């Protein structure tokens, strides 16, 4: 009769709600706790949030405290932080959207090292905004990569990938939710292999690597001389932040969802004077001419208002045909 292996002692490092499904699986599912026991959580220090700039604990800290887990929030991963990690006697550190660059000695401290969950199919979209840029670039698929951490950005060897589809009307918000859920089957397949010493890692093809930087508010500027398909993908990829917008008079109108109007609608473009001209609206959205095709913005938000379906928005905030949208 064989005795079941003890669960791995796991330290989690993360600061974003995308990790909550995997933490719930590790903590309260039938399978997860038998594979790994969370013994500590490292997360970013409490930060000011919202218009009131109230100092607020992030979702990961709140989750951990509610379950009585020790939480550590170092501003920097200094010697004290390393000693804290060592005191937890971890078999494994698991990182997802933590926000700190890890020192070599921090990576090597657990018995089985440190693994990272990166939200792309590596080597594509290494960097800070893989979810947003996959959608903004019109990809039809992305995924979650389980990898080793090395000094070079997201360049470590990969053990496995969980792929997820990107639907035509998915924004970054929907894709993030899919990737959050994808953590569970990815870890369920691979943590038992790691515990048995059977998990195999494969080096990335570095020649095929692509990169994405941290997004800025200015990335939400729309250039209506670009094709409608490109603009729609950008609007969807950059929602909810930094979000794309355009000017109508003195008002900045935020876009929450878009696609390309069907070809049957294209006949209304005959009177358009140029890219950025409002052509009217159909049942699904506001129609705007572009450098190629017609952009249909399906969700809109005025300053100080809520994001609304286009039909609801336009009832209270009409944008007349012939209006030229600008920045």
């Amino acid at each position: 009769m064989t005795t079941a292996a003890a669960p791995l002692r796991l330290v989690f490092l993360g600061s974003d709600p995308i990790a909550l499904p995997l933490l719930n699986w590790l903590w309260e599912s039938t399978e997860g706790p038998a594979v790994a026991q969370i013994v500590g959580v490292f997360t970013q220090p409490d930060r000011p949030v919202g218009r009131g700039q109230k100092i607020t604990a992030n979702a990961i800290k709140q989750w951990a405290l509610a379950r009585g887990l020790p939480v550590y929030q170092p501003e920097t991963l200094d010697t004290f932080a390393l000693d804290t990690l060592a005191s937890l006697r971890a078999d494994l550190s698991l990182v997802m959207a933590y926000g700190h660059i890890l020192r070599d000695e921090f990576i090597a401290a657990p018995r089985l090292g440190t693994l990272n969950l990166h939200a792309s199919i590596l080597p594509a979209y290494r960097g800070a905004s893989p979810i947003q840029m996959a959608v903004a670039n019109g990809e039809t698929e992305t995924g979650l990569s389980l990898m080793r951490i090395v000094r070079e950005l997201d360049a470590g060897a990969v053990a496995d990938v969980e792929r997820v589809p990107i639907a035509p009307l998915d924004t970054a918000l929907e894709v993030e939710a899919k990737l959050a859920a994808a953590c569970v089957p990815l870890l369920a397949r691979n943590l038992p292999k790691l515990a048995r010493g059977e998990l195999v890692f494969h080096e990335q093809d570095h020649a095929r690597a692509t990169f994405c930087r941290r997004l800025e508010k200015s990335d939400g500027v729309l250039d209506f001389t670009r094709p409608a398909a490109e603009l729609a993908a950008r609007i969807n990829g950059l929602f909810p932040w930094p979000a794309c917008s355009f000017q109508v008079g003195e008002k900045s109108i935020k876009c929450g969802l878009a696609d390309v109007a069907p070809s049957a609608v294209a006949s209304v473009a005959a009177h358009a004077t140029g890219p950025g001209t409002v052509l009217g609206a159909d049942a699904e959205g506001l129609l705007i001419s572009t450098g190629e095709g017609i952009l249909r913005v399906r969700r809109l938000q005025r300053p100080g208002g809520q994001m609304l379906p286009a039909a609801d928005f336009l009832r209270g905030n009409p944008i007349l045909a012939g209006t030229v949208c600008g920045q």
Side-chain angles (χ1 to χ4, degrees):
M1 179 177 177
T2 59
T3 303
L8 296 172
R9 291 178 60 84
L10 184 148
V11 170
F12 178 76
L13 299 93
S15 306
D16 191 281
I18 192 173
L20 290 175
L22 79 86
L23 292 173
N24 286 328
W25 177 76
L26 286 168
W27 186 258
E28 61 193 28
S29 70
T30 301
E31 187 179 9
V35 176
Q37 173 191 7
I38 303 172
V39 296
V41 172
F42 282 71
T43 192
Q44 286 282 333
D46 299 352
R47 306 291 190 199
V49 173
R51 292 183 180 178
Q53 291 293 281
K54 181 180 179 182
I55 301 297
T56 305
N58 66 45
I60 302 302
K61 178 181 179 179
Q62 293 178 40
W63 181 93
L65 291 179
R67 289 155 181 81
L69 288 166
V71 176
Y72 309 97
Q73 296 177 275
E75 283 284 1
T76 59
L77 296 180
D78 54 14
T79 301
F80 180 77
L82 180 60
D83 291 343
T84 301
L85 177 61
S87 72
L88 295 171
R89 298 180 292 108
D91 296 308
L92 173 69
S93 286
L94 181 66
V95 182
M96 188 175 196
Y98 179 30
H100 274 311
I101 296 175
L102 305 186
R103 296 160 53 187
D104 289 341
E105 55 267 38
F106 206 89
I107 294 169
R111 179 176 65 87
L112 297 173
T114 299
L115 300 186
N116 181 53
L117 291 161
H118 182 73
S120 77
I121 302 173
L122 290 169
Y125 299 109
R126 295 179 184 177
S129 55
I131 301 173
Q132 295 91 335
M133 294 315 299
V135 180
N137 287 337
E139 305 284 3
T140 58
E141 182 184 57
T142 187
L144 200 68
S145 297
L146 180 64
M147 58 178 290
R148 289 202 181 280
I149 293 181
V150 296
R151 294 289 290 179
E152 187 179 348
L153 179 66
D154 298 326
V158 176
D160 196 7
V161 174
E162 183 73 12
R163 296 172 180 267
V164 303
I166 301 176
L169 291 178
D170 276 347
T171 69
L173 200 61
E174 284 79 35
V175 175
E176 181 177 295
K178 292 180 183 181
L179 289 167
C183 294
V184 173
L186 183 62
L187 292 180
R189 282 198 305 271
N190 290 289
L191 286 185
K193 293 179 184 178
L194 179 70
R196 296 192 301 266
E198 299 172 0
L199 191 59
V200 177
F201 290 82
H202 302 278
E203 291 298 325
Q204 297 182 42
D205 182 352
H206 301 296
R208 295 176 52 241
T210 58
F211 297 87
C212 51
R213 57 173 172 78
R214 190 175 302 278
L215 295 170
E216 301 174 352
K217 189 67 178 174
S218 60
D219 291 313
V221 172
L222 292 174
D223 176 1
F224 288 107
T225 66
R226 304 301 303 168
E230 180 182 315
L231 293 169
R234 188 170 192 83
I235 289 168
N236 298 343
L238 272 57
F239 183 80
W241 196 91
C244 292
S245 62
F246 58 88
Q247 291 291 129
V248 174
E250 298 298 315
K251 291 183 179 180
S252 178
I253 307 299
K254 187 179 293 185
C255 308
L257 182 67
D259 64 354
V260 178
S263 56
V265 179
S267 60
V268 304
H271 67 282
T273 57
T277 303
V278 173
L279 307 175
D282 66 7
E284 302 298 333
L286 182 70
L287 305 174
I288 304 174
S289 64
T290 73
E292 180 184 330
I294 299 173
L295 176 69
R296 177 166 56 186
V297 185
R298 288 171 166 261
R299 291 203 294 253
L300 297 157
Q301 180 180 356
R302 63 176 176 80
Q306 294 181 321
M307 185 64 70
L308 297 171
D312 295 339
F313 177 92
L314 293 171
R315 273 195 289 271
N317 306 271
I319 303 176
L320 301 178
T323 299
V324 178
C325 304
Q327 283 296 328

